[in-house]
Amino acid sequence: MDQEEMTAVGVEAFGQPLRRLRLPITAPRYGEVLVRVAAAAVNPADLGMVAGRYRWSQPVRFPLVPGYDVAGTVVGTGQPVLAFTLHKATQRGGYAQFVTLPEELVVPLPDGLTAPEAVPLLLAGMTAWQALDAVGEVGTLLVNGPRGAIGGLAAQLAAARGITVVPPDDPGPVDAALDVVGGTVARAAFDRVRDDGRYVTVVPEFWVPGGPFTAERGITPRVVSVRHDRAQLVGLVERLAAGTLTAPVGKVLPLTEAAEAHRLVGRAAGAPRVAGKVVLVP
Ligand SMILES: NC(=O)c1ccc[n+]([C@@H]2O[C@H](COP(=O)([O-])OP(=O)(O)OC[C@H]3O[C@@H](n4cnc5c(N)ncnc54)[C@H](OP(=O)(O)O)[C@@H]3O)[C@@H](O)[C@H]2O)c1
């Protein structure tokens, strides 16, 4: 490959505006692949990460290039893939022309699924799956934020598991609630759970304060923090390709308009939102 540098978008310090960067392409080592990015999803976490609101497990190296989710092709083989980036460790995420990743994080993309169609599935899908695993076997489940990425996928996956999904404005108690919003909205979901029921949130206290995190009425809140799971990702891709799961794309923007993408995703509560995932194309 003759290209040694790439265009990426990131920040040089927390709180700075996103800007276009020229960065070296990291050559893949044994067990790694270089992915040419065709689409990167914008997740709410990206906004908090560049703002400095995220809890990093290791010291952060700048420039910080956000982006958990990419779809693209493996350089050398041309294999279309979907991949979870390692940016929590490397700070080299999907807002870039290339990412270098362990093969383990990369799953093949079936024919018929384009990169922008597939990329909204990744972080949100695995989080929804793992949140439902934490909920376990229940009859009724309230999902707040059912129009959002995780909420929408969780509602579809729950229905496929035989769980009756209850919208937030339906009255009456439920066996379980899955919170994807946090704060007072989370409290309202918790209050709808019957005694000894189950409550799971994907929004930790440091991210959106105010949600219920201590046991009450025999309900012990569980906070799910997503981890990469290859088998789950393969299962999600199969469902998307088969048409039994949908992960809508709301807007596709060029990578260089990542700041506008963050503005759209970070709109104030109640302001008009893009229905579906915002996707960046390098
Ligand atoms: N724990 C983990 O590992 C993990 C992983 C990924 C993401 N997350 C977090 O999970 C949360 C959801 O992520 P996402 O990708 O699903 O976000 P999203 O697509 O933006 O969806 C958020 C949903 O929350 C709803 N919402 C927001 N504010 C609300 C309010 N004040 N009242 C009622 N509903 C409200 C939105 O409703 P409208 O559609 O009506 O606007 C939307 O349906 C984020 O905080 C994200 O950082 C956690």
Side-chain angles (χ1 to χ4, degrees):
M1 203 175 93
D2 53 12
Q3 190 176 5
E4 290 174 349
E5 281 201 333
M6 64 175 181
T7 296
V9 171
V11 293
E12 304 273 10
F14 291 133
Q16 285 193 354
L18 287 171
R19 70 177 190 86
R20 186 175 177 276
L21 306 163
R22 291 294 292 170
L23 296 175
I25 296 171
T26 308
R29 292 175 298 186
Y30 180 76
E32 292 182 334
V33 289
L34 180 64
V35 176
R36 182 187 295 272
V37 177
V42 176
N43 284 290
D46 302 348
L47 281 67
M49 283 176 162
V50 298
R53 269 200 313 126
Y54 189 73
R55 280 203 184 148
W56 301 87
S57 52
Q58 297 162 23
V60 175
R61 285 167 286 188
F62 289 98
L64 157 60
V65 176
Y68 284 90
D69 305 341
V70 296
T73 49
V74 174
V75 173
T77 67
Q79 169 70 50
V81 291
L82 194 60
F84 193 59
T85 72
L86 269 183
H87 78 303
K88 278 167 68 178
T90 63
Q91 282 81 60
R92 290 289 185 271
Y95 291 19
Q97 289 179 303
F98 294 89
V99 281
T100 308
L101 296 169
E103 283 168 350
E104 163 65 20
L105 297 183
V106 170
V107 304
L109 207 53
D111 289 346
L113 275 183
T114 67
E117 284 168 347
V119 80
L121 187 67
L122 221 152
L123 179 73
M126 287 197 292
T127 308
W129 188 304
Q130 289 164 30
L132 286 181
D133 287 348
V135 167
E137 289 183 20
V138 294
T140 52
L141 172 70
L142 182 154
V143 179
N144 63 8
R147 288 185 299 273
I150 298 172
L153 287 162
Q156 294 174 67
L157 292 168
R161 293 182 186 197
I163 298 170
T164 300
V165 179
V166 178
D169 47 6
D170 254 28
V174 289
D175 293 335
L178 169 57
D179 165 56
V180 298
V181 181
T184 52
V185 180
R187 180 79 239 175
F190 184 96
D191 289 344
R192 294 278 307 284
V193 179
R194 65 166 169 77
D195 290 358
D196 303 315
R198 298 184 193 158
Y199 172 83
V200 172
T201 181
V202 297
V203 185
E205 175 77 353
F206 77 87
W207 200 241
V208 181
F213 294 101
T214 52
E216 284 175 44
R217 298 188 289 111
I219 311 160
T220 303
R222 286 191 60 182
V223 183
V224 166
S225 185
V226 70
R227 60 189 162 71
H228 181 256
D229 187 304
R230 190 183 167 82
Q232 287 173 5
L233 191 52
V234 169
L236 288 162
V237 169
E238 283 171 1
R239 287 165 172 78
L240 191 71
T244 55
L245 191 66
T246 58
V249 178
K251 197 168 184 69
V252 179
L253 290 172
L255 173 63
T256 47
E257 291 183 28
E260 168 64 5
H262 276 209
R263 197 189 62 76
L264 291 172
V265 172
R267 94 270 179 255
R273 75 185 292 261
V274 174
K277 192 63 87 183
V278 178
V279 173
L280 297 171
V281 173

